[in-house]
Structure formats: C-alpha cells, structure tokens
Amino acid sequence: MTFVTRFAPSPTGYLHRGHAFSALTAFQAAGDAGGRFLLRVEDIDATRCRPEYDAALFEDLAWLGLGWEEPIRRQSEHLADYHAAIEALRARGLVYRCFKTRKEIDIGRAPHEPATPYVGAPLPAAEEAERLDRGEAFAWRLSLAAARAALGGFGGLTFVETGMGPDGETGVIQARPETAGDIVLARKDVGVAYHLAVVHDDALQGVTHVIRGQDLFEAAHIQRLLQALLDLPTPTYRHHGLLVGPDGKRYAKRDKAQTLRELREAGMSPQALRAELGF
Ligand code: GLU
C-alpha cells in the first residue's frame, strides 16, 4: 500500500513556525516512505477564512521548499459531498436538530473552563416543527446515544498512534468519543464541521497516515467515531509534539512575528529555518 499523507491547513491566519514543522514532518515522512504528499485547503469556515491567508499559504510552503500534487483539494468546492454524508447520517437517525445556542449550553461555566460537552436529544416533533416555522437557527448534532446503539458500543473503536498524544499516549488507542459530547456536524454559518470534512477527505484521498500536531490528538477520538459511522477506513495517526517559543508557549496564529512571511521579510532563508526546525 502506498504511503499517503497530507498537510491540511485552514487559511485563518498566516502560517507560522509550528505549521512549517508540521508540513515538513509530513513531507519528509512521505519522502522517506517513497509515498505521496498532498496539500489540502480546509476552508469550510467562511466566517474565519480569508483570501489573503489562502494565497499566502501556497507562497509560504513553496518558499519553505515543499512540493505537492496538483490539483489540490479545496474543501469549499465540495460542500455538497459533506452535506450528502450528513444526510446519510440523518437518514439513519444519528443526528438531530439542536436549537440551543452556545451561550445557553455554557450557562454557569467559568470563562477559563473548557466549553461544556453537550449531550442532548431530538425535540418532540411538534415543538421542532414550530421552531422551524419560526425560522429559528439550529445545528445538526451527532447523537452519541444513537451512535452507541448503531455500533453496539464504542469498544471496537481503536486507532494506531505511532507518534504520541499530549499525555504520552501511543500504540493502540481506545477512542473515547464520548468526552466531546454530541458534536456539531453542521450549523447555519458553518455548513459543515471540520471533523466531518476531514474524515471524508482523508478516505476519499486515500490518506494512509495522518501526521499533525498533538493539539489535534483529541480530534482523532471523534474522527474515529465518524469513520465507523460512515464506514470509512481509519488511517494510522502520528501526532507530533508542538513547538514552543522562548516563553515556553506554543506558537499560534496570533504570534505575528513568528509567521513565515515575517521571518522571510526579516531576512531568514528557508534553509536556515529548516535547519532550526531539524530538517
Ligand atoms: N485544518 C486543520 C487545522 O488547520 C488541520 C486538520 C488536520 O490535520 O487534521 O488545524
């Protein structure tokens, strides 16, 4: 089986050192395995993606010395595919309409606490019809209860981690999708959730190895559930440690000075950056 991996940035900011490390890790792994490296633009969230970040990511990755297969997959061009997948789940009673706002769900939550995982249920038909008539906004949520029933429990949901989760998790991992609650698969402003588009595309593109930062380790637990429900293969995962800056904090899109464009403008060469990152 050919080794296929990808780098899948979202154009919600300029790429920074952390992205460079991730992209180079995947690119090198593909090279070492004599496999394929794909670039995928995850631009489904129109509320956060910007054309200038989109254009910049190609420029920045080429500057870094990366090459990828053309044409690339751009998620915003395939929304109908993701909606069809959600529709298939809906037809099996695995998703339900949720009219609660994030604010309503988070009542009583302190600002520093993580968002409350929400577990709900479909509304009685009459109430739902009434709310739809009134034009109330809703999200499609995946029902953990229905998913558990459909799969006969989550015990069979495992994935292979060849890197490491943030707490040292490695090897065969038992997925715990329940910790995320009933996740949102689609909402009014963002028609498709990231998790759904990722599992759909990884399967469609024949991705055998998902190589990405540890900040996405928890996502693998949810994505493993979606793979089971959509009858898609599970790739091998390799989550890598996150780069930290001199302050000990990991790089983020908000650290403007650490974007690849800033480094380039400051006179850094791609060779120097690659060497600094260990490539
Ligand atoms: N698009 C996601 C991000 O920018 C990464 C998706 C993935 O690698 O699975 O954080």
Side-chain angles (χ1 to χ4, degrees), residues 6 8-10 19 40 42 194 198 202 210-212 216 223 253:
R6 73 332 186 252
S10 299
H19 292 111
R40 185 167 75 218
E42 304 211 319
Y194 148 74
V198 165
D202 283 339
V210 168
I211 301 172
R212 59 186 182 189
L216 290 166
Q223 291 169 9
K253 283 179 179 157

